[in-house]
Amino acid sequence: MKHILAAVILLVYGAGPAAAQSRFDGWATAVISADWRDGHGLPIEAFDNARRDVAAGLVAAGLPRDSTIDLTLNPGATRTSSTADVLREVGDLTTRATSGCLLYFTSHGSPEGMVFGDDGTVTPASMARMVRHWCGERPTVVIVSACFSGVFINALEAPNRMVLTAASRERTSFGCGAGETYPWFDGCVIEALPASTDFLALAAGARACVSRKEQEAGITVPSEPQLFVGAEMQLRLPILRFERAAG
């Protein structure tokens, strides 16, 4: 009788509480530092510092650790990747984790595009091809931290995407020189992450932080970070709330 009763309880109530499913299960997250030099070609740590700490902050906010990678093109780094390695590793990741995409790039930029290692510039058209190949129609967040990074907005616009850039297409961003811990925009993302509830709040917090830093430094031509949110993502993003471990 006891065995029958136990079987009935298992049938009705199950074997126990199911593990909670994260809103970001199956999301691929790639954080890439694509340059390692200042404006004079001398090595700096700011981009790699940002790569490391942005990736850690995203994992702390609930992005899955097992599908988050951070990659550097810095030949002097302990763990470096070639351009081909980066493309292959992000491709492998997005093939394995197919629920959503978060791509974060930090580098120097120009009105033509973004520096990508020694191999030249990723143009808006080539960035659009990469994102389309990696992420397809799944929900996608692309963050580009570079001077003139607003040039990517038009090329990346799509209903399933949110795009955040460190500057408008006509403006530089700041903090990419020797002595800086992070580029300012990256530092503001890192600063805003712990208090942000979702990607929209992160964008607002980072943009407010950049404005504050620029005002404090007496910058007269601000960088003007840009935000695009497609129609599908406007509905989805408020539901994609960050999840932090209780502590």
Side-chain angles (χ1 to χ4, degrees):
M1 178 64 72
K2 290 181 179 179
H3 294 303
I4 295 173
L5 180 59
V8 170
I9 290 171
L10 283 172
L11 182 63
V12 174
Y13 294 104
Q21 186 174 15
S22 166
R23 297 176 179 91
F24 293 103
D25 279 353
W27 271 64
T29 301
V31 184
I32 300 163
S33 55
D35 204 355
W36 60 94
R37 298 158 291 197
D38 66 12
H40 304 289
L42 299 175
I44 57 173
E45 299 294 329
F47 296 119
D48 278 322
N49 290 341
R51 166 191 55 82
R52 179 195 65 225
D53 293 345
V54 165
L58 291 169
V59 169
L63 278 298
R65 186 180 301 276
D66 63 355
S67 57
T68 296
I69 59 175
D70 62 282
L71 304 168
T72 180
L73 288 163
N74 182 354
T78 303
R79 178 176 55 83
T80 189
S81 301
S82 67
T83 300
D85 291 335
V86 169
L87 299 178
R88 183 181 64 254
E89 289 193 48
V90 178
D92 290 346
L93 174 66
T94 54
T95 298
R96 172 169 58 88
T98 59
S99 296
C101 266
L102 171 55
L103 305 174
Y104 192 114
F105 302 91
T106 181
S107 185
H108 285 296
S110 73
E112 286 70 47
M114 180 184 69
V115 173
F116 208 76
D118 283 327
D119 293 321
T121 298
V122 171
T123 65
S126 57
M127 175 73 82
R129 287 192 295 270
M130 287 194 304
V131 174
R132 184 167 57 249
H133 174 70
W134 287 332
C135 303
E137 299 302 315
R138 69 194 75 168
T140 299
V141 176
V142 182
I143 302 176
V144 186
S145 175
C147 293
F148 308 102
S149 45
V151 297
F152 292 104
I153 292 284
N154 289 347
L156 295 177
E157 287 180 350
N160 63 311
R161 293 182 188 155
M162 168 182 155
V163 184
L164 176 63
T165 68
S168 72
R169 63 187 306 120
E170 300 92 5
R171 301 290 177 87
T172 61
S173 54
F174 301 95
C176 301
E180 298 282 359
T181 302
Y182 312 111
W184 288 5
F185 177 82
D186 295 321
C188 283
V189 169
I190 293 163
E191 178 181 312
L193 261 170
S196 297
T197 55
D198 56 30
F199 285 115
L200 292 174
L202 176 61
R207 294 168 85 186
C209 170
V210 167
S211 179
R212 186 192 74 237
K213 282 180 173 289
E214 291 175 347
Q215 289 175 16
E216 291 172 350
I219 301 295
T220 57
V221 183
S223 53
E224 296 183 345
Q226 300 293 298
L227 175 65
F228 165 82
V229 183
E232 292 175 15
M233 289 298 272
Q234 290 177 26
L235 299 175
R236 189 183 295 269
L237 285 173
I239 301 169
L240 287 170
R241 296 178 65 83
F242 294 146
E243 302 168 337
R244 296 176 178 83

